[in-house]
Amino acid sequence: MERLRWTLADGLTLVGRELGRMRHEPGGLIGALVFPAVMVVLFGYVFGSAIQVPGGGNYREYLMPGLFVMITFTSVMALTMQVATDASRGVMDRFRSMPITRAAVPFGQTGADVLTGLLSLGMMAVAGLLVGWRPHHGLLPTVQAILLLCLMRYALSWVGCYLGLVVKSEQTADQLMPLMLPFTMLSNAFVPTEGMPGWLRFISDWNPASALTAACRDLFGNPGVPAGDVAWPLAHPTATVLLWSAVLLVVFVPLSVRTYTRKGR
């Protein structure tokens, strides 16, 4: 119990360190806030002029949950780059020489990422409201959708933390960044999947990004909620998101802590 208390205390200190670094690197924060608004305008008006929403409805309302999911999944590579940068510059070695618990460092990195993600979600939500998007089911379902997005982002942040510790190179991490794009493009985030070839639709239906998008559309009351004979993840999207998040945390939390500890030996 005492060790857990010190881990939480040290982790919160490192969360503050990560957030405080934004004052010295404002470009990253500005990008994190401006990028979501640009995506709303770009996708909403470029794709919106060519895509019909299944069952009818406003495409921008259909789109917004998909954009929330996009910034949730693409955050993996941003954290990978950040951790790899710290590792390559010797920051991780300095942390290991300090009298703090080893688990506190990855906990601090991932905790700060979730808080940054909330800022991005807030900015994107404001941009969505300006172009006509609305959550129609009230406060509680809206909060539930935001919590699902934060949970998935937190789970994915541990994936990014592990990858950053493994690659330990800014150049390698930068080359990995485009690999997360297919996770959102091969999903129902931006376009309906009904017209896809069977094998591609199967991949899309079982993509965790599709389940998260479907869960958010359902909770927000936006068009595009799967209906009829659909794959299990889309018929039970909230349960699927919880399951995926649990699996990622169970796998990558111990992997990240173990990798960070072993690199110091």
Side-chain angles (χ1 to χ4, degrees), residues 32-161:
L33 295 178
V34 173
F35 176 75
V38 172
M39 290 299 99
V40 171
V41 175
L42 179 62
F43 281 85
Y45 289 97
V46 174
F47 283 13
S49 62
I51 296 174
Q52 296 296 320
V53 177
N58 185 295
Y59 177 72
R60 285 183 289 280
E61 288 218 315
Y62 173 88
L63 172 70
M64 286 306 301
L67 288 179
F68 291 142
V69 171
M70 182 191 73
I71 64 172
T72 297
F73 273 77
T74 54
S75 67
V76 172
M77 299 319 301
L79 186 59
T80 299
M81 172 67 79
Q82 181 178 319
V83 174
T85 300
D86 282 349
S88 65
R89 294 180 180 178
V91 175
M92 293 298 183
D93 291 332
R94 288 197 291 271
F95 281 149
R96 293 187 186 100
S97 68
M98 297 172 66
I100 59 177
T101 59
R102 292 298 175 92
V105 174
F107 272 102
Q109 297 273 7
T110 55
D113 181 71
V114 172
L115 295 178
T116 304
L118 277 173
L119 291 176
S120 297
L121 285 175
M123 186 66 185
M124 181 165 279
V126 170
L129 291 171
L130 292 176
V131 300
W133 168 75
R134 296 291 184 274
H136 297 287
H137 286 171
L139 179 62
L140 182 58
T142 300
V143 171
Q144 290 174 337
I146 294 171
L147 289 176
L148 277 181
L149 289 164
C150 289
L151 175 62
M152 180 59 81
R153 177 158 185 149
Y154 185 64
L156 289 169
S157 70
W158 284 96
V159 179
C161 182

Side-chain angles (χ1 to χ4, degrees), residues 55 121 127 178 195 234 257:
L121 285 175
L234 299 183
V257 174

Side-chain angles (χ1 to χ4, degrees), residues 170-221:
E170 297 174 63
Q171 292 76 18
T172 304
D174 186 57
Q175 292 171 357
L176 292 175
M177 292 188 73
L179 297 181
M180 284 307 298
L181 187 60
F183 276 92
T184 50
M185 300 306 294
L186 294 178
S187 72
N188 60 1
F190 305 120
V191 297
T193 61
E194 286 79 1
M196 293 182 179
W199 64 273
L200 192 58
R201 183 176 180 181
F202 177 83
I203 295 174
S204 173
D205 288 346
W206 286 85
N207 185 343
S210 291
L212 183 56
T213 302
C216 289
R217 285 179 180 143
D218 184 31
L219 291 167
F220 288 138

